[in-house]
Amino acid sequence: MKPLMPRVARSLPTARDAARSTALSTASGLATGSSELPHWDLSDLYPGQESEELRRDLDEAEAAAQAFAGHYAGKLAGLDGAALAGAIAEYERIDELLGRPASYAGLTFAGNSDDPAIGRFYQSINERVTAIATHLIFFTLELNQLDDDALARLLQDADLVRWQPFLRDLRVFRPHQLSEEVERVLHEKSVTGAGAWSRLFDETMASLRVELDGQSLTVGDALNKLSDRDRPTRERAAKAIGETFGRNVRLFSLITNTLAKDKEIGDGLRKYPRPGSARNRGNMVEDEVVDALVVAVTSDYGRLSHRYYAMKARWLGLEKLEHWDRNAPLPADDDRAVSWDDARTHVLGAYRGFAPELGEIGQRFFDHPWIDAPPRPGKSSGAFAHPTVPAAHPYILMNYHGRTRDVMTLAHELGHGIHQVLAADQGYLMSSTPLTLAETASVFGEMLTFRALLDAETDPKRRRRMLAGKVEDMLNTVVRQVAFYRFEILLHDERRTGELLPERIGELWRQVQTESLGPAFNFTPDYDVFWAYVPHFVHSPFYVYAYAFGDCLVNALYGVFADGHPGFQQKYVEMLRAGGTRRHKELLAPFGLNASDPAFWRKGLDVISGFIDELEQD
C-alpha cells in the first residue's frame, strides 16, 4: 500500500523463507492436548462471505467516508486543535471499519487461493474497499500541506497531542506526496496494477504442482523435501522444483519485470532517491542505517556463512555442498518429530518463563481458533501473523510439519501475535510498528524458545546439533535475507535500463548466492530459477532486510537481558505495547542501545560468530 493512502488495506505479512519453515466446529480441543493440528475460525471477523454483517460494514464505511469528505475536504487548515483531533479520530474509525473486511478477505484467500470463488470474493472486496477509500485520500494530503509552524501551534492542544506520533510519521512522506488528483488515480488503479500482478503470482504459485517420486506436491511440500535426511531425495526434489519453476519462468519474469517497472514509475513520481528508499521511509529508518547494516553483514560473510558451511561440508563428508544441501540435517541428527502439543508446551513455557503476561497472551491463541497450522493444497506457504483490527484479534498461519524448525516458526509467529495484541491499545493508526521493529518480538521469542530448549537438553551431542541448527536459522535470517536484499537492489537498478530476460535474473540470483554462501557451494543451473518462489519480491519489495535488522537487534537486546539489565522484562513489554508510537532510537534507549552506531550491528553479528566459534571447538 502506498504510504500516503488510507491504511484500510494493510496487506498480509508475506511468508518467511520457505526453507525455514475452513472453520473449526469447536475450539475446545485446542486447549486439551489434542494432537490434531488447529484450523482457524474467521467468524470472529464475519460469519461468512455473504453475511449481512460484512455488507453492513461496507455500506456504513461508504456512507461515512462520503460524509467525511463532504465535511472536511478543503477545510483542515481552518480547524483548531480539538477539531482536528476529532477529524483524525473519525478517519481512524472509518479506516478500521474498512480494515476488517479487507483482513477477512485476505485471510480467506491465504487459506485457499485455489478456489476460484474465493479468488473472486477477494478481488471484489479489494475493489470495493479501494473505491470507498478513495473518498479519504484528501485527508492525509491536506494534513501534510499544513505549515510546520501552524501544526506546531495546533499540537499545543491536549486533544491533538495523542495523535502526534501519527502526524510525525505522516510528515516523513511530505516531500514525496503528489497532487490529490494523481494520488486518487494511483490509488484507484492499484487493484488493476500491482495488486493484480500480486494476485496472479499467488494463484499461480498455489496452483503449481511438483512431480516427485510419483507424487504431485505443492511447492511448499516440495521445498520441505530440501531438508530431507536422504541426499538423493533432496537432489531429486531440487531438480523437480527447478523444472517446475523453469516451465513457468517466463511468467514469473514478466511479473517481476512489470512490478519493478511499476515501482520505478512510482518512485520517480515521488522523487525517491533509490529503489529501497520508500521502504526505508515506511520503516522510519534512514537509508544510511540500512546501508550500515548491509555493509556489516556482507563484510562478515567470511566469518559467518563461509566458515559455517565449510564446516558443514566436512560434517557431511562432502568436498562441495550443492544448493540442496544447505538445509540438510546434520549427521546423527534425528530431528525427532515434535507433536503439536509438545510444540505448544515448549513455546508457551519459554514465554511464561520470561514474562507471565506474554505467556498468558500467547495462551489465548491456543485456547481459541486463531491459528491455522495444517499444510494443504492452495494454502499460502510459509507463515505469517496478521493483526486484523484492534477490535478483533490477530490470526496466525503456518504450515506445521513437526520439525524442530516448525517449533521455532511457531515461536516466531506467536511473538508477532503477542506484539500485535499488546500494541492494539494504540488504535488502528498507531498500533502497527515499522517492519524493522515488528521483527523484534518474533525473533526474541525464537531466542527465548531456543535457549529454553538448549538449557533443558543434557546430551552434549544433541546440544551441539541444536546449536548448529540455531546457527543455520540465524544465517537464513541474517545472511540469506541480506543476500535477498542485494538481489533486489541489483534487479531494480538494472531494470531501469530495460526489461531483464529470465536468464539475466538467474545470473543476478546466482551472483548473490555465490557471494553470500561462499566457496563451499556448487550451484547447478537449475538453481538459477529459485528466485521465483520468494513472495517478498512480489508483495513487499525490499522487505527482507527487516529480518536481518530484527535478528541483529534481538541479539544485542538479548545480550542486555543476559547481562541482568534491571527491569528488563517490564521495559521489554512496554516497548511492545508502544506499537508504532515511538521510533527505534526511543525504544532502544532504555536498554542503552543505539542502532545508528555501527558497533551495534557488529555486536549482533558477534553472537552468531561466537556460536560458530563454539562449534569449531567441538
Side-chain angles (χ1 to χ4, degrees), residues 530-595:
F530 269 62
W531 56 269
Y533 83 89
V534 182
H536 304 76
F537 301 155
V538 174
H539 295 292
S540 315
F542 301 98
Y543 177 109
V544 288
Y545 77 78
Y547 291 123
F549 193 113
D551 200 274
C552 289
L553 187 155
V554 164
N555 288 341
L557 200 61
Y558 194 89
V560 173
F561 168 59
D563 289 341
H565 183 86
F568 183 93
Q569 284 90 333
Q570 180 64 30
K571 292 178 182 179
Y572 178 80
V573 172
E574 290 306 310
M575 181 180 74
L576 301 187
R577 204 184 301 277
T581 62
R582 301 181 203 161
R583 299 280 181 84
H584 62 84
K585 290 183 180 179
E586 299 172 88
L587 290 170
L588 293 177
F591 305 99
L593 298 172
N594 179 8

Side-chain angles (χ1 to χ4, degrees), residues 214-240:
Q215 293 182 292
S216 184
L217 303 178
T218 65
V219 170
D221 285 340
L223 288 167
N224 195 51
K225 295 289 185 181
L226 298 181
S227 299
D228 197 274
R229 173 165 303 284
D230 181 59
R231 192 172 191 234
T233 297
R234 297 198 304 271
E235 180 178 2
R236 291 195 302 274
K239 291 182 176 179

Side-chain angles (χ1 to χ4, degrees), residues 22-24 30 37-42 107 110-112 340 365 368-376 379-380 382-384 395-400:
T22 294
L24 270 179
L30 301 180
L37 295 178
H39 297 251
W40 60 23
D41 182 348
L42 301 180
L107 291 169
N112 184 7
W340 178 256
F365 286 80
H368 303 92
W370 297 356
I371 302 176
D372 195 89
R376 60 178 178 270
K379 180 180 176 180
S380 292
F384 63 72
Y395 282 96
I396 290 173
L397 177 145
M398 63 180 299
N399 290 270
Y400 191 81

Side-chain angles (χ1 to χ4, degrees), residues 273-339:
R274 58 195 201 190
S277 295
R279 175 66 63 191
N280 297 342
R281 302 295 187 276
N283 284 339
M284 301 301 156
V285 63
E286 300 78 12
D287 289 351
E288 294 73 23
V289 172
V290 179
D291 291 344
L293 165 66
V294 173
V295 169
V297 174
T298 55
S299 299
D300 258 6
Y301 282 166
R303 76 169 182 142
L304 300 179
S305 49
H306 295 188
R307 186 160 60 116
Y308 174 76
Y309 287 118
M311 277 196 301
K312 184 167 186 175
R314 293 195 299 271
W315 293 338
L316 295 176
L318 300 171
E319 184 176 342
K320 282 276 192 180
L321 297 172
E322 300 292 343
H323 70 86
W324 54 78
D325 296 317
R326 182 171 61 84
N327 285 315
L330 298 178
D333 182 2
D334 55 7
D335 196 16
R336 294 172 292 191
V338 182
S339 72

Side-chain angles (χ1 to χ4, degrees), residues 589-604:
F591 305 99
L593 298 172
N594 179 8
S596 299
D597 182 354
F600 173 84
W601 301 116
R602 185 75 180 186
K603 182 182 297 186

